[in-house]
Coordinates of all heavy atoms in Angstrom, one line a residue:
P266 N 0.8 -1.2 0.0 CA 0.0 0.0 0.0 C 0.9 1.3 0.0 O 0.5 2.3 -0.6 CB -0.8 -0.1 1.3 CG -0.9 -1.6 1.6 CD 0.4 -2.1 1.1
G267 N 2.0 1.2 0.7 CA 2.9 2.4 0.7 C 3.5 2.7 -0.6 O 3.6 3.8 -1.1
I268 N 3.9 1.6 -1.3 CA 4.5 1.7 -2.6 C 3.5 2.3 -3.6 O 3.8 3.2 -4.4 CB 5.0 0.4 -3.1 CG1 6.2 -0.1 -2.3 CG2 5.4 0.5 -4.6 CD1 6.7 -1.5 -2.5
L269 N 2.2 1.8 -3.5 CA 1.1 2.4 -4.3 C 1.0 3.9 -4.1 O 0.8 4.6 -5.1 CB -0.2 1.6 -4.1 CG -1.4 2.1 -4.8 CD1 -1.2 2.0 -6.3 CD2 -2.6 1.4 -4.4
S270 N 1.0 4.3 -2.8 CA 0.8 5.7 -2.5 C 2.0 6.5 -3.0 O 1.8 7.6 -3.6 CB 0.7 5.9 -1.0 OG -0.5 5.3 -0.5
Y271 N 3.2 6.0 -2.9 CA 4.4 6.6 -3.5 C 4.2 6.8 -5.0 O 4.5 7.9 -5.5 CB 5.6 5.8 -3.1 CG 6.9 6.4 -3.7 CD1 7.6 7.4 -2.9 CD2 7.4 6.1 -5.0 CE1 8.8 7.9 -3.5 CE2 8.5 6.7 -5.5 CZ 9.2 7.6 -4.7 OH 10.4 8.1 -5.3
D272 N 3.8 5.8 -5.6 CA 3.6 5.9 -7.1 C 2.6 6.9 -7.5 O 2.7 7.6 -8.5 CB 3.2 4.5 -7.7 CG 4.4 3.5 -7.6 OD1 5.6 4.0 -7.5 OD2 4.2 2.3 -7.7
I273 N 1.5 7.0 -6.7 CA 0.5 8.0 -7.0 C 1.1 9.4 -6.9 O 0.8 10.3 -7.8 CB -0.7 7.9 -6.0 CG1 -1.5 6.6 -6.3 CG2 -1.6 9.1 -6.1 CD1 -2.6 6.3 -5.2
I274 N 1.9 9.7 -5.9 CA 2.5 11.0 -5.7 C 3.5 11.3 -6.8 O 3.5 12.4 -7.4 CB 3.2 11.1 -4.3 CG1 2.2 11.1 -3.2 CG2 4.1 12.4 -4.2 CD1 2.8 11.1 -1.8
R275 N 4.2 10.2 -7.2 CA 5.2 10.4 -8.3 C 4.5 10.7 -9.6 O 4.9 11.6 -10.3 CB 6.0 9.1 -8.4 CG 6.9 9.0 -9.6 CD 8.1 9.9 -9.5 NE 9.0 9.8 -10.6 CZ 10.1 10.5 -10.8 NH1 10.4 11.4 -9.9 NH2 10.8 10.4 -11.9
N276 N 3.4 10.1 -9.8 CA 2.6 10.4 -11.1 C 2.1 11.8 -11.1 O 2.2 12.5 -12.1 CB 1.5 9.4 -11.2 CG 0.7 9.6 -12.5 OD1 1.3 9.5 -13.6 ND2 -0.6 9.8 -12.4
S277 N 1.6 12.3 -9.9 CA 1.1 13.6 -9.8 C 2.3 14.6 -10.0 O 2.1 15.7 -10.6 CB 0.5 13.9 -8.5 OG -0.7 13.0 -8.3
R278 N 3.4 14.3 -9.5 CA 4.6 15.2 -9.6 C 4.9 15.3 -11.1 O 5.3 16.4 -11.6 CB 5.8 14.6 -8.9 CG 6.7 15.6 -8.3 CD 7.9 15.0 -7.6 NE 7.6 14.1 -6.5 CZ 7.3 14.5 -5.2 NH1 7.4 15.8 -5.0 NH2 7.0 13.7 -4.3
I279 N 4.9 14.2 -11.8 CA 5.1 14.2 -13.3 C 4.1 15.0 -14.0 O 4.4 15.8 -14.9 CB 5.2 12.8 -13.8 CG1 6.5 12.1 -13.2 CG2 5.2 12.7 -15.3 CD1 6.5 10.6 -13.5
Q280 N 2.8 14.9 -13.6 CA 1.8 15.6 -14.3 C 2.0 17.1 -14.2 O 1.8 17.9 -15.2 CB 0.4 15.2 -13.8 CG 0.0 13.8 -14.2 CD -1.3 13.4 -13.5 OE1 -1.5 13.6 -12.3 NE2 -2.2 12.7 -14.2
I281 N 2.3 17.6 -13.0 CA 2.6 19.0 -12.8 C 3.8 19.5 -13.5 O 3.9 20.5 -14.2 CB 2.6 19.3 -11.3 CG1 1.2 19.1 -10.7 CG2 3.0 20.8 -11.1 CD1 1.1 19.3 -9.2
S282 N 4.9 18.7 -13.4 CA 6.2 19.1 -14.0 C 6.1 19.1 -15.5 O 6.7 19.9 -16.2 CB 7.3 18.1 -13.6 OG 7.1 16.8 -14.0
D283 N 5.2 18.2 -16.1 CA 5.1 18.2 -17.5 C 4.4 19.5 -18.0 O 4.7 20.0 -19.1 CB 4.2 17.0 -18.0 CG 4.9 15.7 -18.0 OD1 6.2 15.8 -17.9 OD2 4.3 14.7 -18.1
C284 N 3.5 20.1 -17.2 CA 2.9 21.4 -17.5 C 3.9 22.5 -17.6 O 3.8 23.4 -18.4 CB 1.8 21.7 -16.5 SG 0.3 20.7 -16.4
L285 N 4.9 22.4 -16.7 CA 5.9 23.5 -16.6 C 7.2 23.2 -17.4 O 8.1 24.1 -17.4 CB 6.2 23.7 -15.1 CG 5.1 23.9 -14.2 CD1 5.6 24.0 -12.7 CD2 4.4 25.2 -14.6
K286 N 7.3 22.0 -17.9 CA 8.5 21.6 -18.6 C 9.7 21.6 -17.7 O 10.8 22.2 -18.0 CB 8.8 22.4 -19.9 CG 7.6 22.6 -20.8 CD 7.1 21.2 -21.3 CE 5.9 21.4 -22.3 NZ 5.2 20.2 -22.5
V287 N 9.6 21.1 -16.5 CA 10.7 21.0 -15.5 C 10.8 19.6 -15.1 O 10.1 18.7 -15.4 CB 10.4 21.9 -14.3 CG1 10.2 23.4 -14.7 CG2 9.1 21.4 -13.5
N288 N 11.8 19.3 -14.2 CA 12.1 18.0 -13.7 C 11.1 17.6 -12.6 O 10.8 18.5 -11.8 CB 13.5 17.8 -13.2 CG 14.5 18.1 -14.3 OD1 14.4 17.6 -15.4 ND2 15.6 18.8 -13.9
P289 N 10.6 16.4 -12.5 CA 9.6 16.1 -11.5 C 10.2 16.3 -10.1 O 9.5 16.7 -9.2 CB 9.4 14.6 -11.7 CG 9.6 14.3 -13.1 CD 10.8 15.3 -13.5
E290 N 11.5 16.1 -9.9 CA 12.1 16.3 -8.6 C 12.2 17.8 -8.2 O 12.5 18.1 -7.0 CB 13.6 15.8 -8.6 CG 13.7 14.3 -8.8 CD 13.4 13.8 -10.3 OE1 13.5 14.7 -11.2 OE2 13.2 12.6 -10.5
E291 N 11.8 18.7 -9.1 CA 11.8 20.1 -8.7 C 10.4 20.5 -8.2 O 10.2 21.7 -7.9 CB 12.2 20.9 -10.0 CG 13.6 20.7 -10.4 CD 14.0 21.5 -11.6 OE1 13.3 21.3 -12.7 OE2 15.0 22.3 -11.6
I292 N 9.4 19.6 -8.1 CA 8.1 19.9 -7.6 C 8.0 19.4 -6.2 O 8.1 18.2 -5.9 CB 7.0 19.3 -8.5 CG1 7.1 19.8 -10.0 CG2 5.6 19.5 -8.0 CD1 7.0 21.3 -10.1
I293 N 7.7 20.3 -5.3 CA 7.5 19.9 -3.9 C 6.1 20.2 -3.5 O 5.5 21.3 -3.7 CB 8.4 20.8 -3.0 CG1 9.9 20.7 -3.5 CG2 8.3 20.4 -1.5 CD1 10.5 19.4 -3.5
F294 N 5.4 19.2 -2.9 CA 4.0 19.3 -2.5 C 3.9 19.9 -1.1 O 4.7 19.6 -0.2 CB 3.3 18.0 -2.6 CG 3.0 17.5 -4.0 CD1 3.7 16.4 -4.5 CD2 2.1 18.2 -4.8 CE1 3.4 16.0 -5.8 CE2 1.9 17.8 -6.1 CZ 2.6 16.7 -6.6
T295 N 2.9 20.8 -0.9 CA 2.7 21.5 0.3 C 1.2 21.4 0.7 O 0.5 20.8 0.0 CB 3.1 23.0 0.2 OG1 2.2 23.7 -0.7 CG2 4.5 23.2 -0.3
G296 N 0.9 22.0 1.9 CA -0.5 21.9 2.3 C -1.4 23.0 1.8 O -2.6 23.0 2.0
S297 N -0.8 24.0 1.1 CA -1.6 25.1 0.5 C -0.7 26.0 -0.3 O 0.5 25.9 -0.2 CB -2.3 25.9 1.7 OG -1.3 26.6 2.4
G298 N -1.3 26.9 -1.0 CA -0.6 27.9 -1.7 C 0.1 28.9 -0.8 O 1.3 29.3 -1.0
S299 N -0.5 29.2 0.3 CA 0.1 30.1 1.3 C 1.3 29.5 1.9 O 2.3 30.2 2.1 CB -0.9 30.5 2.4 OG -1.9 31.3 1.9
E300 N 1.2 28.2 2.2 CA 2.4 27.5 2.7 C 3.6 27.5 1.7 O 4.7 27.7 2.0 CB 2.1 26.1 3.1 CG 3.3 25.4 3.7 CD 3.2 23.9 3.8 OE1 2.0 23.4 4.1 OE2 4.2 23.2 3.7
A301 N 3.2 27.3 0.4 CA 4.2 27.3 -0.6 C 4.9 28.7 -0.7 O 6.1 28.8 -0.9 CB 3.6 27.0 -2.0
N302 N 4.1 29.8 -0.6 CA 4.7 31.1 -0.6 C 5.6 31.3 0.5 O 6.7 31.9 0.4 CB 3.6 32.2 -0.6 CG 2.9 32.4 -2.0 OD1 3.5 32.1 -3.0 ND2 1.7 32.8 -2.0
N303 N 5.2 30.9 1.7 CA 6.0 31.0 2.9 C 7.3 30.2 2.7 O 8.4 30.7 3.1 CB 5.3 30.6 4.1 CG 4.5 31.6 4.8 OD1 4.9 32.2 5.8 ND2 3.3 31.9 4.2
A304 N 7.2 29.0 2.2 CA 8.3 28.1 2.1 C 9.4 28.7 1.1 O 10.6 28.6 1.3 CB 7.9 26.7 1.6

């Protein structure tokens, strides 16, 4: 189940990075946009 969850996150990272034409490893998930701005 953990591996499945990891793969789901990995796939989402790729989906977002594809939109931006960047590397998946350059996408960090946060709890909100405000947290992302703070981070």
Side-chain angles (χ1 to χ4, degrees):
I268 293 170
L269 175 60
S270 295
Y271 178 89
D272 288 343
I273 289 172
I274 293 175
R275 173 70 178 173
N276 184 56
S277 296
R278 214 184 298 277
I279 291 171
Q280 288 175 317
I281 292 175
S282 64
D283 282 350
C284 291
L285 304 176
K286 310 301 181 196
V287 300
N288 298 319
E290 295 77 14
E291 294 176 305
I292 302 299
I293 307 301
F294 289 111
T295 65
S297 66
S299 289
E300 183 193 324
N302 281 336
N303 273 260

